[in-house]
Amino acid sequence: MTLDHAPRRRRTVHRLHAAPAAVATGILFTGLLATPARAEHGTGSGTGTFAGAAIGTVARAVGDARFEPGPCPKTPEPIAALEKARCGTLTVPENRAKPDGRKITLGVAIVPAAAAEPKPDPIVWLAGGPGDDAVGEAKMAVDGGLNRDRDVILMSQRGTYSADPVLTCRNIDEFNARAVGLVYGAPSTERLHVEATRTCRDQLAGRGVDLSAYNDTESAADYADLRVALGIDQWNVFGISYGTHLALIYMRQHPQGIRSVGIDGILPPSRGGSALTWSSARQGFDGLFKACAEDPACNRRYPNLSATFERLVRELEAHPVTTTVTVPGHPEPVKVVLDGVALVNWMTSATHVAPGVPRSLDELAHGNPQRIAEQWAGGKLSPQAFGREAHGLAYGIFCSEWVPYESQAEAIRDGREAFPSFPRSVLAQAPQLTFLRPDCDVWNVPAAPPSIRDVTRSDIPTLAVSGGFDSQTGADNGPYVARTLSRATVVTVPYEPHVVFATSRCAQEITVSFFDNPTAPNTGCLSGLKPPQFEIGP
């Protein structure tokens, strides 16, 4: 998916994405004991030995997979955190049901630990999206201290920016930019949206891509192969946003060699779909509105903020507002149309800039849509919105693992439960998943086996972290996944949006302490957290 982003305090991995043409994240269990690598996949072949060799410096083939040291993967901009990285590629079958078929390559970067004597169990980073490139998130991992005393391994998930083939589709990004000037939820916009998706599919299929092979089952196997090919007996897993979806599938399909798992911005595979996005939006919005109500200055200036927001959604859906704004990098004024669907999607991302939300909604209520329109357009027209998201991977997951297991009626019902005052036309377009069902009709990949929707049952120590303002993957997903994870620690960091590791020093401290002691992370910093200081307009 590709979420439509409001400006953020940092580049977050956002997100569930959804509807790429407009979008925008077990049963087997093994504890801490790792199975020796060679016992799992055979002796393999390769040069050199692993004794004393730094991770990522030895070529090795294991079954149908091969790691080859080499240059670091490409990134859209230079990343200082990669300057000392050890890099290479993992080559795997595109479709493991066809082992003699096409091979694909995945970029790998290993950021060395800052400590002189690293601990032997590195951390592998699973990116958000679906469709974000893990290698491009090296700075986030390093800034959060993950490589303090462990190597951090980042591999481009299949189809993403530094993989080959890459499943980005610039025409979708260009449509998203154009869509700011359209009535977002209109049937005419849907037709254009679906046509952009069809064009993307045709382009990728024309290049020989097996679109059915870009899914969580294949990606989980990629990571299992990477661990063995790198000669690692045990590692730790850290997934953010959609990466938590992949992590939960990975830890039940390939539990061998996993010491611990951290998940932040939790997206349970058993819940994936429109219902999840509606309930998450309700939780995140309510968290922000409650914080404003508990702040005397915010409550005095912006009373009944929740009612104001819902009224604006209804009014804009009936009578969309058109304005023009100036967007950095675009000398010409940009036309922006705000309807109810657009406002819901803006709000879903705007929890990342929570201090300004009450003022923005109040200005809109008094006839001034500029702040919201600037943010709505700015996210879609920024350079970072073009050519980076692997829409082919996103649709591969949504259309095989989500849409087949949730009806349109169920989606609308759950939307109405979360927001009973919203008109049906708004409820028909779940936040972050606009027009996903017709998009999947043209994407045309087979449904994944029903087992993909199983809950993950495991005794692997797990840290389940959420933000109190997370309107993309609601905080109740932490307790939900912990029901079947016997050694889970559940943490909600108040006043924080989606992916708290990216914004909260406290969340970073908790996460690093968890990997040091997976059964007793240090959560003491939570007691000192304070609500945001909301902007108060004239």
Side-chain angles (χ1 to χ4, degrees):
M1 307 176 185
T2 13
L3 274 185
D4 305 312
H5 307 292
R8 295 177 179 174
R9 286 173 281 176
R10 82 303 174 188
R11 198 245 183 213
T12 161
V13 166
H14 45 301
R15 43 204 222 207
L16 248 189
H17 288 287
V23 214
T25 73
I27 313 174
L28 302 175
F29 43 94
T30 271
L32 298 178
L33 298 179
T35 305
R38 287 177 175 79
E40 287 179 42
H41 291 277
T43 58
S45 63
T47 59
T49 65
F50 287 94
I55 297 170
T57 59
V58 177
R60 189 185 188 208
V62 181
D64 293 321
R66 179 176 181 82
F67 175 77
E68 190 74 38
C72 285
K74 64 179 180 179
T75 56
E77 296 91 20
I79 298 176
L82 295 176
E83 290 176 358
K84 297 181 180 179
R86 304 183 296 272
C87 298
T89 57
L90 183 75
T91 301
V92 295
E94 182 178 45
N95 187 332
R96 287 177 171 81
K98 304 172 184 176
D100 295 328
R102 178 177 180 168
K103 303 293 184 182
I104 62 175
T105 60
L106 313 175
V108 179
I110 302 163
V111 178
E117 296 184 8
K119 294 182 178 176
D121 49 297
I123 299 169
V124 62
W125 176 283
L126 306 186
D132 289 343
D133 191 328
V135 177
E137 295 169 1
K139 183 179 187 299
M140 191 192 306
V142 170
D143 287 352
L146 281 191
N147 72 322
R148 184 187 65 189
D149 49 18
R150 285 179 171 83
D151 290 352
V152 174
I153 301 170
L154 307 108
M155 181 172 75
S156 306
Q157 190 179 351
R158 54 176 51 213
T160 59
Y161 186 86
S162 57
D164 183 14
V166 56
L167 273 57
T168 55
C169 284
R170 192 175 180 90
N171 76 293
I172 284 180
D173 304 323
E174 291 168 348
F175 172 80
N176 288 338
R178 203 158 49 92
V180 300
L182 305 175
V183 177
Y184 203 60
S188 56
T189 303
E190 176 180 349
R191 288 191 293 272
L192 294 170
H193 188 289
V194 173
E195 190 54 40
T197 302
R198 188 193 310 275
T199 298
C200 172
R201 187 196 195 286
D202 291 348
Q203 289 173 349
L204 297 179
R207 288 163 40 200
V209 174
D210 180 353
L211 296 175
S212 68
Y214 291 81
N215 56 54
D216 285 309
T217 296
E218 292 286 1
S219 288
D222 294 341
Y223 283 96
D225 282 344
L226 177 67
R227 181 184 66 80
V228 181
L230 290 177
I232 298 169
D233 287 340
Q234 273 193 339
W235 67 7
N236 306 278
V237 176
F238 185 59
I240 60 171
S241 190
Y242 154 74
T244 69
H245 190 281
L246 176 56
L248 288 163
I249 290 174
Y250 171 41
M251 67 192 287
R252 64 179 159 91
Q253 292 185 347
H254 303 277
Q256 302 88 352
I258 300 178
R259 172 179 176 265
S260 68
V261 177
I263 47 178
D264 177 358
I266 302 163
L267 175 56
S270 56
R271 280 184 164 184
S274 298
L276 175 79
T277 64
W278 280 122
S279 65
S280 295
R282 178 86 269 178
Q283 291 174 67
F285 299 172
D286 283 352
L288 192 159
F289 296 148
K290 183 174 184 287
C292 176
E294 292 175 348
D295 178 284
C298 189
N299 188 53
R300 184 167 53 250
R301 181 65 181 80
Y302 309 115
N304 303 315
L305 199 57
S306 179
T308 297
F309 168 70
E310 295 194 28
R311 173 176 58 80
L312 286 169
V313 171
R314 296 192 300 271
E315 291 178 353
L316 288 178
E317 188 64 7
H319 304 287
V321 168
T322 301
T323 188
T324 58
V325 298
T326 300
V327 175
H330 292 265
E332 298 298 320
V334 176
K335 174 188 173 183
V336 177
V337 178
L338 295 176
D339 64 353
V341 176
L343 185 62
V344 170
N345 279 274
W346 166 81
M347 183 67 188
T348 303
S349 289
T351 50
H352 288 274
V353 287
V357 166
R359 180 177 179 180
S360 295
L361 290 173
D362 182 71
E363 288 183 1
L364 179 61
H366 288 87
N368 182 2
Q370 294 303 107
R371 281 165 59 98
I372 290 177
E374 288 171 0
Q375 292 180 351
W376 179 236
K380 288 185 169 185
L381 274 70
S382 72
Q384 289 73 30
F386 294 86
R388 303 193 184 192
E389 295 300 323
H391 299 290
L393 174 62
Y395 280 131
I397 291 163
F398 297 143
C399 300
S400 68
E401 302 177 22
W402 290 19
V403 167
Y405 298 103
E406 180 183 61
S407 70
Q408 177 77 348
E410 289 171 330
I412 292 176
R413 179 198 65 202
D414 290 309
R416 182 170 290 114
E417 182 177 329
F419 294 95
S421 74
F422 283 2
R424 181 183 174 86
S425 58
V426 173
L427 298 176
Q429 306 300 338
Q432 311 174 80
L433 295 172
T434 313
F435 306 129
L436 183 58
R437 190 166 295 276
D439 281 337
C440 285
D441 288 342
V442 302
W443 202 253
N444 191 29
V445 290
S451 59
I452 201 70
R453 306 281 294 187
D454 288 348
V455 298
T456 295
R457 303 181 185 278
S458 178
D459 63 359
I460 298 173
T462 304
L463 176 68
V465 187
S466 303
F469 287 177
D470 189 345
S471 56
Q472 294 166 275
T473 56
D476 72 347
N477 287 322
Y480 172 81
V481 297
R483 298 175 312 153
T484 53
L485 301 174
S486 63
R487 302 171 76 186
T489 300
V490 178
V491 173
T492 298
V493 182
Y495 317 121
E496 290 292 338
H498 186 52
V499 184
V500 295
F501 187 85
T503 57
S504 167
R505 178 58 64 184
C506 179
Q508 294 166 357
E509 292 172 1
I510 292 170
T511 302
V512 172
S513 75
F514 166 75
F515 289 121
D516 285 343
N517 186 356
T519 57
N522 184 353
T523 61
C525 60
L526 293 170
S527 61
L529 300 180
K530 300 184 186 313
Q533 184 174 353
F534 290 101
E535 295 178 25
I536 305 299

